[in-house]
Amino acid sequence: MGITAVDVVLPCAIAFVSWRASILLYAYRAYGPSDLYPAFIPLSLPGVTFGMGLIWTWNRRPDGYGNKECIRITPLLWGYSTLYVRSPEVLRQVAGGGSNKTWIKPDWANGSLLLYGQNLATENLEGWRRHRRIMQPSFSRSTYELVWRETTRIYHDMVKTEGWNTQSGSIVSIKAINQLTFKLGLYVIGSCGFGLPEKFTWADPPKGEKGQGNIQSNIASVEKSSLTIQFAPKWIWKLPSKRLRTMWEEYTSLTSFIHTEVAQRKAIIDEALANGGDDALDSVNQDVFSRLVLASQSDGKQALSDSELIGNTFVLLFAGHDTTSSTLAAAIALLAYHTDEQDKAHQEIVKVIEENPQFDFSLSSQLSYITSIFLEAVRLYPAGEVGIRECLEDTMLRIPPSDEKSPPVDVAMPKGSTVVVDFIAMQYHSRQFADPLAFRPSRWAEVGEDSATAFSTGPRACIGKKFAQTEATCFLTNLLRDWRIEPLLNPGETKEQWKTRVLGKVKIVLTLTIADVPVRLVRR
Ligand code: HEM
């Protein structure tokens, strides 16, 4: 008798159901009954973040928590049980990930940040401490002063090169302000993080040696295609597909840019060392890139391997521009819609500039409303939407109660458990922020900057927070001083329809970015 389909399908179905049941049972045994975390989601692709992306659209995600601080998701068909949290209290317990032994950033969660090698954002334990020791000193007051100066220079370069008419009342229509903020972000990190102001002029962006696109299109393309580049077999790049060929060329262009810059900076540092030893190094720029290159040439505790040097260069280019640029685009969109907030911001700028004619970094502490606009934009559109941690040993997590009357709950987390800190749900949580859906920059005067969890917290908090904040405050100040921002409406479209089209949409690839923001700038 031949084998029928039933003979094959039935055992497979039994094996599959048993496998999924064992995962559910394991989750039940390890973490206890599900009343604390009742969410069971039917389907998730391998890798929790992808599952989340498919299942919870970004702005509906906070609803998934009901009144709970965290939920456990055990997909019925694929993937393992994971704890999703929206409590700053839990963030504080796990965020140090990699600075201590309990919670680390697992490699599988770093995705394309590992494309060019280990780096500050992906390393753990001693490796992480070494990277942070090297980079931290470059994030100093003198860097922020430079960020302010360079952002202003690049703003003026942009207005001139884009040919904007600067007569009062002139109008500039921009289909996607994101394209400009992304260019700005890249140029500021290129100039201040890499010490390359002469390479980053608005009219002539740096090109990779292989000649495909420019550095900006290279990074954008690599961001989109990083998983293919990382995991696809080599032969696919030989297939006769224009799309694949462009993808590969953009990647190799970016690679050649990074390698060329590293080689040139190495040569400058070698020369300084040969000419006068350590003293001569003072003449070499102390930007973060030079510090990385220097560390790759030293022995002992500070040494960085070539692959770590390249990895950090990439992460700096990427994390240093994509996040800030997208937040700036969101801030501009929010201001275009909320004209009352824009007026308040403009009044602050006029007052501060009137009282302080010098336009430098010292103004930033007085422009608190402008900084609040940035903090509110990053709250509503957190570029880093999740933080993933895995525990290396059995441990406990203290979960705060969802109401004031109940006590906190201690939950056992067996070795190997995963926690996903959900920054979107955290920042839309009414326990943290009253009226969380509203754009209200003034709330930051009450809650204080420490509540800006979009940059994470503790020893592994974002190293570039002040860098981003300085750049954004400076750019918004320049822009709002000179221009009134309005929504650029489609024919027949109302402002409310524009709001739904623009403010309601994001893309989540490696980071969360707002959809294209069409605006009109009216010269004041
Ligand atoms: C709006 C702007 C930004 C946002 C929202 C943001 C968000 C974050 C978050 C949430 C983390 C922690 C991730 C985790 O631990 O899982 C982080 C880390 C990091 N950020 Fe940012 N970031 C921004 C700007 C920047 C800038 C401008 C730079 C560089 C100039 C930068 C470089 C880094 C690096 C290197 C890390 C890893 C730090 C470590 O692990 O020690 N970021 N960022």
Side-chain angles (χ1 to χ4, degrees), residues 236-415:
I236 74 151
W237 304 113
K238 298 204 172 92
L239 293 176
S241 152
K242 191 164 174 263
R243 210 162 143 239
L244 284 172
R245 200 172 55 248
T246 309
M247 211 186 262
W248 184 250
E249 282 174 359
E250 296 266 19
Y251 166 63
T252 48
S253 244
L254 178 63
T255 309
S256 84
F257 175 82
I258 294 176
H259 283 270
T260 308
E261 291 306 326
V262 165
Q264 285 176 358
R265 192 60 57 94
K266 271 189 170 165
I268 293 172
I269 290 176
D270 278 346
E271 199 185 322
L273 282 171
N275 285 342
D278 286 350
D279 287 348
L281 275 180
D282 293 344
S283 64
V284 174
N285 218 337
Q286 286 299 301
D287 56 64
V288 57
F289 183 48
S290 294
R291 289 187 61 84
L292 288 170
V293 172
L294 196 56
S296 76
Q297 288 164 301
S298 68
D299 303 323
K301 276 189 167 176
Q302 294 281 88
L304 275 187
S305 69
D306 277 359
S307 136
E308 289 172 327
L309 167 62
I310 302 288
N312 276 310
T313 305
F314 170 67
V315 99
L316 198 65
L317 262 178
F318 174 73
H321 103 284
D322 193 78
T323 47
T324 318
S325 317
S326 148
T327 311
L328 260 176
I332 291 170
L334 288 160
L335 289 170
Y337 181 78
H338 297 275
T339 42
D340 49 339
E341 296 296 344
Q342 193 181 154
D343 290 345
K344 280 189 218 163
H346 183 246
Q347 280 159 19
E348 178 179 82
I349 293 168
V350 171
K351 183 168 176 287
V352 171
I353 291 181
E354 230 171 57
E355 288 166 9
N356 307 272
Q358 86 294 353
F359 193 80
D360 60 22
F361 177 65
S362 66
L363 295 193
S364 65
S365 56
Q366 297 175 55
L367 291 160
S368 54
Y369 207 73
I370 311 295
T371 304
S372 303
I373 288 169
F374 171 68
L375 293 176
E376 189 66 347
V378 79
R379 180 182 76 79
L380 291 168
Y381 298 89
E385 43 113 26
V386 290
I388 302 174
R389 298 293 188 265
E390 189 179 301
C391 58
L392 286 187
E393 53 198 10
D394 292 351
T395 189
M396 303 292 281
L397 271 187
R398 174 154 285 204
I399 315 286
S402 34
D403 60 78
E404 279 165 13
K405 288 180 211 133
S406 319
V409 181
D410 287 330
V411 179
M413 300 295 288
K415 178 178 170 185

Side-chain angles (χ1 to χ4, degrees), residues 19-40:
W19 171 56
R20 294 314 301 165
S22 73
I23 284 174
L24 290 177
L25 195 64
Y26 173 80
Y28 181 82
R29 283 211 183 121
Y31 309 110
S34 64
D35 61 330
L36 191 60
Y37 326 110
F40 282 83

Side-chain angles (χ1 to χ4, degrees), residues 70 111 213 229 248 257 391 400 442 449 503 505 524:
C70 53
I229 295 168
W248 184 250
F257 175 82
C391 58
S442 59
E449 246 189 65
L503 290 172
K505 287 212 184 106
R524 291 187 194 271

